[in-house]
Amino acid sequence: MSVQERKERERAGRERLIVATARELAEQQGWDAVTTRRLAERIEYSQPVLYSHFRGKREIIGAVALLGAAEMAAELRAAARAADGPRARVTALARSYLDFAERNPAVYDAMFQLDGGLAFAQEDTPEPLKDAFAALLETLGEVAGEGVHPGLFTEVFWAALHGLATLTRAGRQPPADAERRVELLVDRLAVL
């Protein structure tokens, strides 16, 4: 291995450590607790080293969001593949989405609530975000209904899932009815 390859590998390792530490701290204490000073202390590198990887918290949030999007896409696909038939796939997809949001609140915030400097629904949207949407579209596109654009249907269904995730987390909806909400969403929106 060349010196350059070793340096690149070490740099990538530091970057993964910064992102993992930011994610862990955010999940434990919220994003307000994630500061460059705290991250530098936790990873035992100086703040200038941290700034050599990320210009600031916004870029760190973006990196966590991209990692979260890749994880979510994998979970959505696995849930849909494990189900048999369109209704079961859509229901499994919805449950998987809501479970991901509940298990990873700080990551979910990085993906959809906080400014991570990422473009959505544009040409320069990063690949992990496009892939997360594609993971939804793969299942939802087949139940959009005749004459309904699959991408548009997926956006509406995604918005409903996001609303459920956000309102449930904020305590605006009784948790006892979570499963019924998923059933209602699938029954009323999907053409099965």
Side-chain angles (χ1 to χ4, degrees), residues 63-191:
V64 169
L66 294 177
L67 182 63
E71 291 172 9
M72 177 184 271
E75 288 185 24
L76 294 174
R77 285 187 175 105
R81 271 194 309 270
D84 188 28
R87 175 182 295 284
R89 280 193 294 279
V90 173
T91 301
L93 179 92
R95 285 183 185 136
S96 179
Y97 183 98
L98 296 170
D99 289 346
F100 181 89
E102 183 180 350
R103 281 192 333 275
N104 304 284
V107 173
Y108 192 81
D109 284 349
M111 292 168 65
F112 301 119
Q113 305 284 69
L114 302 174
D115 179 9
L118 304 173
F120 281 81
Q122 298 177 19
E123 246 181 70
D124 60 341
T125 298
E127 249 345 280
L129 298 178
K130 289 179 182 178
D131 190 50
F133 184 79
L136 291 167
L137 180 62
E138 289 161 11
T139 297
L140 296 171
E142 70 179 274
V143 297
E146 191 174 322
V148 177
H149 187 278
L152 185 60
F153 176 78
T154 300
E155 289 172 355
V156 171
F157 201 96
W158 171 31
L161 288 173
H162 176 69
L164 288 174
T166 304
L167 291 170
T168 300
R169 185 164 148 213
R172 303 293 197 274
Q173 297 177 331
D177 293 327
E179 186 60 31
R180 181 75 181 105
R181 285 186 201 95
V182 169
E183 291 171 9
L184 189 60
L185 178 63
V186 172
D187 288 344
R188 298 294 185 214
L189 286 184
V191 176

Side-chain angles (χ1 to χ4, degrees), residues 20-38:
T21 303
R23 178 181 181 164
E24 178 183 311
L25 187 57
E27 291 292 3
Q28 291 171 351
Q29 300 176 30
W31 278 105
D32 287 342
V34 179
T35 64
T36 54
R37 178 184 305 267
R38 246 183 162 168

